[in-house]
């Protein structure tokens, strides 16, 4: 973990470099140690995102939302993903959504409307780190892509919350029309 922290610090991601050494080990090491062929992709917010965060100290669950349990580099995004693709994370029930592709936007991709600012900040074959402009918002997928919500996947219902699916659909359409 020291090597990735050092690289992140050298590249200007100081807040995440410090976070990796203390908090994120609880997320990355257990996953990498389960299967030696597992690759993970970490989306690393810029330092400014930590200062602008609505959380003060971002919770561990938010960091889990920034880890994808497979190799996801620029080439694989261009070759294998479509606009609106669901991207699973280590936060159960909360996926990311590919909102722009590198080829369609003049060279950058975005997930949950957060721009990927730097591809391949670190890559040792098992852990890949990309820089992003801000933290991902876990509510994004629920509001704008309710079909990916874990509550809507089972039997097309919202499990005990009558009308929630319809309400989320209306909110999603309203937000979509605002952009």
């Amino acid at each position: 973990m020291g090597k990735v922290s050092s690289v992140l610090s050298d590249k200007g991601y100081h807040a995440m470099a410090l976070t990796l050494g203390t908090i994120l080990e609880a997320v990355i090491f257990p996953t990498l140690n389960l299967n030696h062929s597992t690759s993970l992709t970490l989306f690393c917010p810029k330092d400014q995102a930590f200062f602008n965060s609505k959380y003060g100290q971002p919770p561990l669950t938010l960091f889990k939302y920034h880890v994808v349990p497979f190799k996801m580099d620029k080439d694989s995004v261009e070759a294998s993903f479509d606009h609106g693709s669901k991207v699973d994370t280590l936060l159960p029930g909360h996926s990311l959504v590919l909102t722009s592709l590198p080829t369609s936007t003049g060279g950058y991709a975005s997930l949950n409307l957060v721009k990927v600012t730097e591809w391949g900040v670190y890559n040792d074959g098992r852990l890949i780190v990309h820089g992003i402009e801000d933290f991902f918002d876990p509510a994004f997928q629920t509001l704008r892509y309710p079909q990916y919500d874990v509550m809507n996947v089972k039997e097309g219902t919202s499990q005990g919350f009558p009308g929630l699916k319809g309400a989320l659909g209306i909110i999603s359409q309203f937000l979509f029309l605002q952009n």
Side-chain angles (χ1 to χ4, degrees):
M1 193 54 76
K3 186 174 180 180
V4 67
S5 292
S6 177
V7 169
L8 289 176
S9 184
D10 290 346
K11 296 266 188 161
Y13 297 91
H14 303 287
M16 187 60 100
L18 292 171
T19 302
L20 278 174
T22 56
I23 298 172
L24 213 50
E25 285 185 20
V27 175
I28 292 180
F29 274 164
T31 305
L32 288 177
N33 290 334
L34 286 175
N35 183 343
H36 292 290
S37 64
T38 300
S39 292
L40 296 175
T41 303
L42 168 67
F43 290 94
C44 176
K46 292 182 174 186
D47 284 353
Q48 192 61 39
F50 283 82
F51 301 121
N52 295 338
S53 174
K54 63 183 176 183
Y55 301 103
Q57 172 62 40
L60 180 61
T61 53
L62 185 62
F63 291 108
K64 287 182 176 183
Y65 194 51
H66 288 73
V67 181
V68 173
F70 54 87
K71 175 186 175 185
M72 187 174 177
D73 57 16
K74 187 176 182 180
D75 291 339
S76 66
V77 168
E78 290 174 341
S80 304
F81 290 86
D82 294 320
H83 182 269
S85 292
K86 175 182 173 183
V87 180
D88 289 328
T89 70
L90 293 186
L91 183 59
H94 292 278
S95 58
L96 299 169
V97 178
L98 191 63
T99 49
S100 65
L101 297 166
T103 54
S104 67
T105 54
Y108 75 87
S110 67
L111 295 115
N112 291 23
L113 297 177
V114 176
K115 183 178 178 180
V116 177
T117 57
E118 188 173 1
W119 292 97
V121 172
Y122 177 84
N123 185 347
D124 68 2
R126 294 190 62 210
L127 177 62
I128 301 162
V129 180
H130 306 303
I132 56 175
E133 67 184 353
D134 204 349
F135 282 104
F136 297 130
D137 182 357
F140 176 87
Q141 159 256 324
T142 303
L143 294 173
R144 302 213 55 190
Y145 290 83
Q147 68 271 26
Y148 294 154
D149 187 17
V150 70
M151 293 172 61
N152 289 327
V153 172
K154 286 189 177 178
E155 303 174 57
T157 68
S158 53
Q159 299 181 347
F161 296 97
L164 181 60
K165 182 179 179 185
L168 289 175
I170 292 168
I171 293 168
S172 175
Q173 286 181 327
F174 174 77
L175 291 172
F176 181 80
L177 293 172
Q178 298 301 307
N179 287 331

